[in-house]
Amino acid sequence: MQKVFFSGMVRRLLTNSSVLLLFLFVAPSAAQDTTPFLTQIRNLTPKQQTSYVIEARKRGYSLVQLEGLAKAQGATLQDLSLLRNAWAENQEGGDDQDENNMQNQESLGFGNDTAMLMFGEEEEESDIFGSAFFANQKITETPQFYVATPAGYRLGPTDEISIDVWGASENRYELTLSRQGVVRIDRLKPMYLSGLTIAAAERKIRNEFSSIYTGLSPDAPNESKVYLDVNLQKARSIVVNITGSVEAPGTYTISGFSSVLNALYAAGGPSESGSYRDISIMRNGKRAQTVDLYDYFVKGTYPSFFLNDQDVIVVSPHHNRITVDGAFKTTGRFETLQNETVEDLLSYVGGFSSEAYKKAVYVDRVLELEREIIKIDQPSYSSTSLTDGDSVEAKSVSDKYTNKVSVSGEVYLPGNYPLNESPTLSALLKSSNGLTPGAYPESAILYRSTQGYFNEIKTINLSEIASKTQDIQLQPNDSLVVISMENIKTERTVDVQGIVNEPGEYPFFEGMTARDLVLIANGFDDRANTDQIELYTNVTELDQSKRINARWFSFDEAKEVELNPSDLMVVRAKPGYQPTTFVTLEGEVSRPGTYPIINENYTLYDLYFDAGKALPGANLRGVSIERKISNQTKSNIEETEDSLNILFFDEDDTDIKIGVNFENILSSKGNYTGNLLLKPNDVIFFPKKDSTVSVLGAVQRETAMPYANGISFREAVIKAGGAKQSANYKNAYVIYQNGDVKGTKRFLIFNIRPRLEPGAVVVVPTKDQKREVSVQEVIGMTSALASLTLLVRTIIGN
């Protein structure tokens, strides 16, 4: 009675969301026997929805669990959407709350403890047939709200219906059945619709409406005819009690569309001891219906019996529980009713598996004080009853053969053959369509088994079998393996290296010539010396005093040179051949682009005139060369720390930039030390004249200024606002347009600053930050010094 009282209270309070929250959050003692009511979450404010979700998380509920409860209670898609949104908005920080969910169970009664354990803990999957349905959280065993009303659904209190009238008169009535099951319409007497199907309710409403809509009469003329249609707009919520051998017994608020299966899913299904075959629905103290869930699990017949408010679902303890194991399509624990037989059990398990022995099953049965094994033959399946505790097993057929012989390897049709069709080795080779060209017929292997495993091996000469000079009688399970020629002969190769397009190792073939090997290697490179090809042959097996025999020949002679396995052929480059190399010229020159290095002594001065000289706007004092260097050269530079005329050296790159004063090169007509010999891939850049001087680094304001003849280093820094207090002014330096770097020189007490040129950049670095010594460090050093002084005096005194 207490459950019914508080369930009714919940329904009355649904119209007031604040009172609902007060009921859920303040009165845990009253709500402990009911699950959270989630079908009215759309009536809560966003703040209240957030509070609801936070409290649910504290109680250990996951989103999947809340959705399952909401669906079982008849929540709409709108309710579910609002629930998911509120959950997502409070996802952050939820993990911390989940860690304490089992320690914080005193504030809100979100269902009884059994339901909490069922939803909050992962249990070992049960092998009871049907339990997987109730353990699967991915299915939605919830009534569909947007389908036609089921024909068997009967109206009840709080159901909402719509009555549409159209034709000569049009009107729409939206009505809710009262708690007495009555609807009231103006000018009509109250109509009692509770317990009627939609079809019966429509007939009754049509009969009553005929007093105010004469066009509803079948005899009414067409111009005055009126039509009427009745539809269920929203199903009522009902309260049902679920008790007996069920996972989470209690009181549940669910949709009026719900069937027994919906309600049981919300309660977690029958428990370990519960029956899936004997579920009773008690209505007004009497049994209204009995449901056998095997009808749904096995036959697909859905329990269409609809529940009424205050129905009680009673799950009885199981009857005969039978353990099924072995070669059946489905194994586990099944329930049989009184007088059900082995044949009935076979229909529940789906029959025997493909490899089963189907002519008998074996039953392990409990007697009074002991057990016994009973064999039940196929003719007795329909007459042999099963008892509680029986364990039924189907045997699997052995994988042993009585008439099989097999052949594998180099035959056209490898596989298994019947012994009666291939009684001899020659017959087996004929059945497999004979040997392939890759077979090694001189030595095949025959494996023979006795006592179930291979324990004998014979080497067979198949050539004698083919010539019919010998044959072997086969036995069951004999296996012939025909060896491949590739497994017998060693792999033989030849090697070609040097100036060919695809050097490498290639398979050796009998009769192969040096010309064949060149063609296989995709021919010569254009640098190849085809007049003198070298061939090296290993001759140690012929002459122990000599390892290699060498010979030379031209490509015209190569077709006459036969190769041997392991030969090495080398094609070298033409004598004195040097590849053509290039440099790139960029910037303010007449003809920029790529130029070849004509000879070993090709200099920057030579390139200048080959390129048509510089344009009038070029800065000849700012010319630079970007050069790629090898890793070895880079290592040597790092070891000598010689960075003369090198602007930068990037550890992740292999390029250096060399500054050149080309004015001096021109004035000396190339007889100047800066007239560098060009190297492959050099990039020479002639920049535009730059009439500015820039000042960067630890100055008051980094800036650029027009170059004035004679402007000094100090003047440039002053024009930038002077050096900052953190400036390392004595180590300031200048970067010139060609990349040269010059620093401050010192002579006695004088600092000689580098002179400035157009395009120069003055860089004033920042002082290194010195770490201040703390008071503790000073005390520590003073103590150590005092101790050392005392030690020295002691030694001297002694």
Side-chain angles (χ1 to χ4, degrees):
M1 292 300 294
Q2 184 184 20
K3 294 178 180 178
V4 175
F5 171 76
F6 283 112
S7 301
M9 181 184 290
V10 171
R11 289 188 295 161
R12 289 194 297 272
L13 294 176
L14 287 179
T15 56
N16 189 326
S17 59
S18 60
V19 178
L20 172 63
L21 285 175
L22 181 63
F23 173 75
L24 288 174
F25 295 119
V26 179
S29 60
Q32 284 179 351
D33 290 335
T34 58
T35 52
F37 200 85
L38 301 169
T39 58
Q40 297 294 325
I41 194 170
R42 59 184 176 274
N43 294 332
L44 307 181
T45 65
K47 185 175 180 181
Q48 292 169 337
Q49 293 171 4
T50 300
S51 300
Y52 194 94
V53 166
I54 291 174
E55 193 64 28
R57 294 174 65 92
K58 289 181 179 179
R59 293 296 307 198
Y61 276 83
S62 69
L63 179 59
V64 174
Q65 295 161 7
L66 285 180
E67 286 181 343
L69 290 172
K71 292 172 183 177
Q73 293 170 353
T76 65
L77 295 178
Q78 180 187 0
D79 294 328
L80 295 177
S81 177
L82 290 173
L83 178 61
R84 295 189 189 106
N85 291 339
W87 187 276
E89 291 173 0
N90 291 276
Q91 190 64 39
E92 296 183 2
D95 295 338
D96 295 335
Q97 295 172 356
D98 289 342
E99 292 179 1
N100 300 319
N101 56 33
M102 298 307 295
Q103 303 174 5
N104 203 5
Q105 299 189 10
E106 70 278 2
S107 61
L108 178 63
F110 269 76
N112 54 47
D113 294 339
T114 306
M116 286 292 295
L117 291 173
M118 178 187 69
F119 290 119
E121 296 181 0
E122 291 188 10
E123 296 183 358
E124 185 178 351
E125 185 176 348
S126 175
D127 63 345
I128 298 176
F129 179 69
S131 63
F133 175 85
F134 297 102
N136 185 2
Q137 296 184 6
K138 295 182 179 180
I139 66 174
T140 303
E141 186 52 39
T142 305
Q144 300 296 317
F145 300 103
Y146 302 102
V147 296
T149 305
Y153 180 77
R154 295 183 179 275
L155 296 174
T158 72
D159 274 342
E160 297 179 12
I161 62 172
S162 63
I163 304 172
D164 291 302
V165 178
W166 76 96
S169 298
E170 293 188 1
N171 207 345
R172 179 179 177 85
Y173 302 86
E174 293 183 354
L175 308 170
T176 301
L177 273 69
S178 69
R179 293 195 177 278
Q180 291 74 35
V182 173
V183 294
R184 289 179 172 81
I185 301 175
D186 292 342
R187 297 187 293 163
L188 293 176
K189 67 180 181 181
M191 287 180 282
Y192 183 78
L193 302 180
S194 183
L196 298 181
T197 64
I198 291 292
E202 183 175 333
R203 289 193 296 271
K204 186 170 184 177
I205 293 171
R206 184 187 301 275
N207 184 53
E208 295 294 334
F209 270 44
S210 60
S211 63
I212 55 176
Y213 295 102
T214 57
L216 287 172
S217 173
D219 301 330
N222 290 336
E223 61 272 10
S224 61
K225 260 193 179 303
V226 174
Y227 303 92
L228 181 144
D229 195 9
V230 178
N231 292 288
L232 180 65
Q233 191 163 342
K234 182 179 179 182
R236 66 189 180 276
S237 294
I238 61 174
V239 175
V240 296
N241 292 276
I242 304 176
T243 187
S245 299
V246 68
E247 287 288 353
T251 301
Y252 289 83
T253 303
I254 58 178
S255 167
F257 271 177
S258 300
S259 69
V260 177
L261 196 59
N262 300 136
L264 287 175
Y265 182 77
S271 63
E272 180 74 13
S273 61
S275 173
Y276 288 75
R277 312 289 308 275
D278 186 7
I279 299 169
S280 302
I281 295 88
M282 307 300 293
R283 184 171 295 167
N284 298 324
K286 298 180 181 180
R287 178 176 296 183
Q289 185 79 11
T290 300
V291 175
D292 184 349
L293 293 182
Y294 275 28
D295 291 339
Y296 175 62
F297 296 143
V298 178
K299 303 175 185 177
T301 303
Y302 193 84
S304 59
F305 179 81
F306 287 95
L307 298 170
N308 284 352
D309 192 39
Q310 303 304 323
D311 278 353
V312 178
I313 301 174
V314 182
V315 179
S316 302
H318 66 77
H319 295 268
N320 298 328
R321 180 153 290 172
I322 312 299
T323 301
V324 177
D325 197 9
F328 292 107
K329 291 182 179 177
T330 307
T331 59
R333 288 183 289 170
F334 289 76
E335 185 180 354
T336 60
L337 301 178
Q338 188 176 5
N339 298 327
E340 286 193 329
T341 63
V342 174
E343 188 172 26
D344 297 319
L345 181 65
L346 286 174
S347 67
Y348 300 149
V349 301
F352 293 99
S353 63
S354 301
E355 69 277 6
Y357 175 68
K358 303 177 177 63
K359 293 187 178 298
V361 296
Y362 298 85
V363 179
D364 184 339
R365 178 165 292 171
V366 177
L367 299 180
E368 291 184 358
L369 296 175
E370 55 191 10
R371 309 180 73 96
E372 68 174 353
I373 301 296
I374 303 172
K375 179 183 178 182
I376 301 175
D377 294 316
Q378 189 175 22
S380 302
Y381 288 173
S382 60
S383 59
T384 304
S385 299
L386 297 170
T387 61
D388 187 35
D390 280 355
S391 179
V392 181
E393 181 186 8
K395 307 292 186 182
S396 296
V397 176
S398 170
D399 59 354
K400 304 300 181 183
Y401 294 86
T402 58
N403 69 333
K404 182 190 76 171
V405 290
S406 62
V407 59
S408 60
E410 294 298 321
V411 293
Y412 282 104
L413 297 174
N416 301 323
Y417 293 90
L419 180 61
N420 59 339
E421 294 183 5
S422 304
T424 63
L425 204 56
S426 59
L428 179 61
L429 290 176
K430 183 178 180 181
S431 298
S432 62
N433 227 31
L435 304 177
T436 66
Y440 181 66
E442 298 176 7
S443 184
I445 299 175
L446 179 65
Y447 293 93
R448 177 156 290 173
S449 66
T450 56
Q451 298 178 345
Y453 63 95
F454 290 117
N455 59 354
E456 185 180 350
I457 185 172
K458 291 184 177 182
T459 302
I460 309 296
N461 189 334
L462 296 181
S463 300
E464 297 177 357
I465 302 295
S467 62
K468 298 182 180 180
T469 59
Q470 181 186 359
D471 207 349
I472 295 178
Q473 195 74 23
L474 297 179
Q475 297 180 8
N477 297 311
D478 277 357
S479 177
L480 178 67
V481 179
V482 181
I483 307 300
S484 171
M485 188 72 72
E486 294 180 357
N487 297 337
I488 301 301
K489 293 190 175 181
T490 58
E491 184 179 3
R492 299 184 295 176
T493 61
V494 289
D495 199 357
V496 57
Q497 298 294 334
I499 314 302
V500 292
N501 287 318
E502 294 182 10
E505 193 175 69
Y506 293 93
F508 171 80
F509 301 97
E510 294 291 341
M512 191 176 191
T513 66
R515 184 186 182 92
D516 298 330
L517 184 55
V518 171
L519 296 177
I520 293 173
N522 224 8
F524 297 107
D525 190 286
D526 60 357
R527 302 168 292 159
N529 180 10
T530 59
D531 295 333
Q532 193 173 26
I533 302 173
E534 303 171 15
L535 181 65
Y536 300 94
T537 302
N538 189 305
V539 293
T540 52
E541 64 181 21
L542 301 176
D543 186 356
Q544 293 296 321
S545 62
K546 188 177 182 182
R547 281 190 172 185
I548 300 296
N549 183 26
R551 62 182 298 187
W552 291 264
F553 52 88
S554 67
F555 182 65
D556 294 336
E557 301 169 333
K559 62 183 177 181
E560 306 296 335
V561 179
E562 289 195 10
L563 300 180
N564 295 306
S566 303
D567 275 0
L568 170 63
M569 187 170 71
V570 180
V571 180
R572 304 194 185 279
K574 296 174 182 177
Y577 177 86
Q578 295 291 330
T580 303
T581 55
F582 303 89
V583 297
T584 302
L585 183 62
E586 298 177 351
E588 300 298 306
V589 291
S590 298
R591 298 198 305 273
T594 302
Y595 289 85
I597 298 178
I598 297 175
N599 53 53
E600 293 295 327
N601 298 317
Y602 195 64
T603 65
L604 181 59
Y605 183 78
D606 300 327
L607 175 64
Y608 177 76
F609 287 98
D610 289 345
K613 301 181 181 181
L615 296 175
N619 179 12
L620 299 183
R621 296 177 64 87
V623 177
S624 62
I625 300 175
E626 188 175 292
R627 176 167 293 173
K628 295 186 179 297
I629 61 172
S630 66
N631 290 335
Q632 183 62 42
T633 305
K634 177 178 176 180
S635 177
N636 293 340
I637 291 174
E638 291 174 341
E639 290 175 2
T640 58
E641 297 183 355
D642 181 6
S643 57
L644 180 63
N645 283 342
I646 299 177
L647 173 61
F648 63 87
F649 194 96
D650 192 341
E651 292 182 357
D652 297 328
D653 207 342
T654 56
D655 293 343
I656 59 172
K657 192 172 184 181
I658 306 172
V660 177
N661 188 337
F662 200 73
E663 284 186 349
N664 292 342
I665 296 175
L666 282 180
S667 61
S668 64
K669 297 183 179 180
N671 296 320
Y672 178 64
T673 55
N675 185 24
L676 301 178
L677 292 176
L678 297 180
K679 293 188 176 182
N681 300 315
D682 277 356
V683 178
I684 300 93
F685 183 70
F686 281 71
K688 288 183 178 181
K689 290 180 180 179
D690 188 347
S691 60
T692 64
V693 173
S694 301
V695 183
L696 304 176
V699 292
Q700 299 298 333
R701 181 181 180 183
E702 294 182 332
T703 186
M705 62 199 73
Y707 174 77
N709 190 22
I711 185 172
S712 68
F713 186 99
R714 182 171 177 274
E715 290 172 344
V717 174
I718 291 174
K719 288 189 176 183
K724 292 182 179 179
Q725 188 174 0
S726 60
N728 185 4
Y729 188 66
K730 65 179 181 180
N731 288 323
Y733 56 92
V734 176
I735 303 175
Y736 295 96
Q737 196 171 7
N738 66 353
D740 281 352
V741 180
K742 291 185 179 181
T744 302
K745 296 180 180 179
R746 291 174 179 78
F747 179 73
L748 299 179
I749 62 172
F750 301 103
N751 290 329
I752 302 175
R753 303 291 182 182
R755 62 181 179 82
L756 301 185
E757 294 179 357
V761 178
V762 177
V763 180
V764 180
T766 303
K767 293 178 181 178
D768 293 335
Q769 295 292 331
K770 294 183 179 180
R771 189 175 69 88
E772 295 182 359
V773 181
S774 65
V775 176
Q776 290 80 359
E777 290 175 323
V778 172
I779 295 174
M781 289 186 289
T782 304
S783 301
L785 183 59
S787 300
L788 181 61
T789 302
L790 181 60
L791 178 62
V792 172
R793 287 181 178 178
T794 303
I795 294 173
I796 294 174
N798 294 334

